[in-house]
Amino acid sequence: MKKFLIAGNWKMNKTRAEAVQFAEELKAKNLANAKDVCVLAPFTALADLGCALEGSGIGFGAQNVHFKESGAYTGEVSVPMLKDLGVDYCVIGHSERREYFAETDETVNLKLKALLEAGITPILCVGESLEVREEGTAQTFVAGQVVADFEGIGPADAAKIVIAYEPIWAIGTGKTATPEQAEEMCAFIRGVISGIYDMATGDSMLILYGGSMKPSNAKELLEKPDINGGLIGGASLKADDFAAIAEAAASLQ
Ligand code: 13P
């Protein structure tokens, strides 16, 4: 049976009360695949969200973390702090963080290692800009990100990482990659992982697609063989839409 993960990235949205309300609405859907679903919230909502989702099977997580355990890093949140909240997942290297907050493959790699050591599942984002796609070098670019981000990570840990392919030109633009474009890159990424490690690691890796995924296009993307789910931004803010995407995945199992 194909494995799926349907992950909602709220980005900088939702107060604590809004997060709890969403959790209540989502739980009321009684999703058949609750264990394959997670919500990635702002730090401020994580404690309340975790309590609201407790016992539902639905996972939750953060959208960033610092790689140092503690210290003089004003404004940052550490892995032990996330661990203390009981988070299951943490997004790393989202293109918005790479673009606006100077995230580099080097810091992404350090963050991956810190999360893996703590037993929190990283959701690593990779993806090319429109400029790179138009130049025809998207695969080379994405392979470069994957190789640099996995540097020094052993096969047992690598297998625990979830990769999200998010072409920057499809994020928040309503311009979804076609299922064929998304499948082509997800299959390519799987091949890169198989090349670094081995076929078994590549085959078992969860590779998600992200970029304007919504209820109306989710099924055609999710039914592609190398797409194991979605990292969903805008359409994850409403429980109805997010649940519809989760149900599209469940219908394919
Ligand atoms: P949208 O679904 O709003 O395009 O955002 C995708 C994304 O960036 C998820 O991390």
Side-chain angles (χ1 to χ4, degrees), residues 9 11 94-96 125 166 170-174 210-213 231-235:
N9 176 9
K11 308 191 179 183
H94 191 284
S95 59
E96 287 150 14
C125 300
E166 297 207 316
I171 295 176
T173 57
S212 301
M213 189 185 273
L231 184 56
I232 300 126

Side-chain angles (χ1 to χ4, degrees), residues 46 121 132 135 176 205 247:
L46 285 175
T121 301
V132 168
E135 271 169 20
T176 322
M205 183 138 279
E247 276 155 6

Side-chain angles (χ1 to χ4, degrees), residues 145-159:
Q145 286 185 318
V146 171
V147 169
D149 296 348
F150 277 78
E151 171 76 39
I153 296 176
D157 273 341

